[in-house]
Amino acid sequence: MASISLRNVVKKYGAATVIPDLNLEIEDEEFIVLVGPSGCGKSTLLRVLAGLEAIDGGDLMIGDRRVNDVPAAKRDIAMVFQDYALYPHMTVRQNMAFALEMRDLPASEINAKIDAAAKLLDIHPYLDRRPKALSGGQRQRVAMGRAIVRDPQVFLFDEPLSNLDAKLRGQVRAEIKTLSRQLRTTMVFVTHDQIEAMTMADRIVVMKSGVIQQVGTPEEVYEAPINLFVASFIGSPSMNFLPITLEGEQLRLAGGDSLPLDSGLSTGVSGPDLILGVRPEHFEVVPEGQGIPAEIMLVEPLGSDTLIHVRAAEQDLIARVSPDLRPVAGGSVFLRPIAGKAHLFDSATEMRLIGKNGK
Ligand SMILES: Nc1ncnc2c1ncn2[C@@H]1O[C@H](COP(=O)(O)OP(=O)(O)O)[C@@H](O)[C@H]1O
Ligand SMILES: [Mg+2]
């Protein structure tokens, strides 16, 4: 168990600066999910934490200890990789025992730790198999077991679910979350998948090009994304963006349609160069005259609800509607943002404009 503190951390590869100046405080026992598009520096940051990469500036603290110059083996951190990195010539038991044998623990203690981890992860039946005789999900569990027996201060996970099929991914996601509650160890989990981030994290760290965009609980980043990047990255399908001009109490949309300004958007600003952000689930279908006319281009029934791809206010938008509406391609509906759910951004700075109610 330990807190982690990154202060003005810089990481370069040759002339390329991958992390220009990063600050982050992770609390003891916290489950942090680092999320961002491929290439934004997530793995680099994990490798920095693990001590597999040296930093070019700043300070890295684990607990009270400054670990800038502490080698990986002495950091008391366990890392689970995307490809699991199990030793192919060793059985599951030997894979799990390896790091403990290196520490010269007595055999009885090693076996007790393996038994406990195997019970936790439900991998007892495979202890004598080699990795090649295991399914992807089983290997993933063994990789976690190997990390757990080390009883580290911090767990690092680098996209450990990306090689699993969708159903298994959902299952293991829930297992890791449950595990984190049981182990009460600080965890940093990297993913490019915003659903994993939303479902697992105590706090999400959204990164872009080595720069943290926002740190917050899943609710915070969903309900109050700080800029257009976070707004479009978190949530699926992505938030819709409409260029607007604010004229008094009216939102003027491209093409001439307008909507009344709802109280949640009273930001004190007016004029052009604003962007209205509306999540697909925050459109409501309203009678003619009360919303913007939308031509239905494509219908995607999901069972529980239906996505309609529409053309409205000169934009391609997606709305999540009730299947009972029985929408059909070629038809039309009238859409309006649900009061208090829309977002307003400055198109020049791409930053969210804060409303009167602080949202
Ligand atoms: N060993 C390396 N040498 C040079 N550049 C690297 C190295 N590792 C990663 N990079 C670069 O650093 C950037 C971030 O990579 P990475 O941390 O792997 O991103 P992510 O895990 O978010 O997909 C990428 O542009 C990548 O090409
Ligand atoms: Mg990566």
Side-chain angles (χ1 to χ4, degrees):
M1 286 181 282
S3 59
I4 301 172
S5 183
L6 294 125
R7 300 180 188 154
N8 304 108
V9 166
V10 180
K11 176 65 196 169
K12 300 177 183 176
Y13 287 115
T17 303
V18 176
I19 297 172
D21 178 16
L22 190 136
N23 289 282
L24 180 64
E25 299 290 328
I26 299 173
E27 286 171 30
D28 186 17
E29 297 187 15
E30 199 173 18
F31 197 128
I32 284 282
V33 178
L34 280 178
V35 68
S38 184
C40 73
K42 304 180 297 294
S43 294
T44 300
L45 190 55
L46 269 202
R47 294 172 62 79
V48 158
L49 288 175
L52 300 172
E53 300 280 356
I55 53 179
D56 298 289
D59 281 315
L60 178 55
M61 311 283 297
I62 296 176
D64 302 331
R65 191 157 70 126
R66 182 177 177 275
V67 295
N68 289 34
D69 305 313
V70 176
K74 298 246 161 70
R75 287 198 189 182
D76 202 7
I77 281 179
M79 187 153 165
V80 177
F81 298 89
Q82 179 176 350
D83 60 4
Y84 317 136
L86 299 173
Y87 300 113
H89 58 286
M90 292 184 190
T91 64
V92 168
R93 183 184 289 281
Q94 288 165 339
N95 264 284
M96 289 169 75
F98 188 72
L100 305 179
E101 283 165 357
M102 300 301 279
R103 277 194 221 158
D104 282 332
L105 289 188
S108 58
E109 197 174 323
I110 293 177
N111 283 329
K113 280 177 183 288
I114 292 176
D115 273 346
K119 202 173 283 168
L120 200 60
L121 294 162
D122 215 7
I123 54 175
H124 257 294
Y126 330 122
L127 283 179
D128 297 317
R129 288 198 209 165
R130 299 238 171 112
K132 71 172 188 311
L134 299 175
S135 71
Q138 290 163 345
R139 275 180 220 172
Q140 207 282 333
R141 245 167 253 192
V142 173
M144 296 219 312
R146 193 175 53 171
I148 288 171
V149 293
R150 292 177 48 195
D151 202 8
Q153 290 205 66
V154 178
F155 279 104
L156 305 177
F157 295 91
D158 195 357
E159 310 217 18
L161 310 185
S162 25
N163 291 332
L164 306 180
D165 64 53
K167 185 153 178 256
L168 197 54
R169 214 157 48 219
Q171 186 186 328
V172 179
R173 199 166 73 201
E175 283 173 9
I176 293 181
K177 191 169 172 175
T178 308
L179 203 62
S180 82
R181 302 263 181 277
Q182 292 168 335
L183 296 173
R184 305 177 67 91
T185 307
T186 311
M187 302 207 175
V188 185
F189 186 104
V190 157
T191 179
H192 62 271
D193 181 330
Q194 59 90 27
I195 294 180
E196 280 175 22
M198 289 294 286
T199 52
M200 300 175 88
D202 290 329
R203 284 191 304 157
I204 295 178
V205 176
V206 185
M207 280 179 73
K208 178 192 172 194
S209 309
V211 179
I212 293 178
Q213 306 290 303
Q214 186 167 7
V215 182
T217 63
E219 293 77 17
E220 283 164 356
V221 293
Y222 176 83
E223 288 169 9
I226 196 160
N227 58 23
L228 288 178
F229 177 82
V230 176
S232 66
F233 196 82
I234 300 289
S236 175
S238 283
M239 188 185 286
N240 298 288
F241 297 119
L242 298 104
I244 58 153
T245 299
L246 202 47
E247 295 171 353
E249 295 294 298
Q250 288 290 308
L251 296 174
R252 181 85 50 207
L253 304 163
D257 290 307
S258 64
L259 286 168
L261 177 67
D262 89 55
S263 56
L265 291 177
S266 306
T267 57
V269 295
S270 63
D273 303 325
L274 298 172
I275 293 176
L276 181 71
V278 185
R279 297 197 182 278
E281 52 273 38
H282 293 152
F283 273 122
E284 57 185 344
V285 176
V286 290
E288 181 168 0
Q290 295 179 25
I292 43 176
E295 190 187 344
I296 302 175
M297 313 303 286
L298 180 74
V299 175
E300 293 182 304
L302 302 177
S304 54
D305 42 32
T306 296
L307 298 178
I308 53 171
H309 296 237
V310 304
R311 185 79 188 159
E314 300 184 348
Q315 312 295 316
D316 293 317
L317 309 175
I318 299 181
R320 193 185 286 274
V321 300
S322 163
D324 299 336
L325 201 69
R326 304 258 170 251
V328 288
S332 62
V333 287
F334 292 84
L335 297 175
R336 185 175 64 190
I338 295 174
K341 292 293 190 184
H343 308 259
L344 208 52
F345 301 91
D346 181 318
S347 66
T349 63
E350 302 196 346
M351 298 301 284
R352 175 194 183 79
L353 296 164
I354 309 298
K356 261 198 271 187
N357 58 5
K359 281 207 164 172

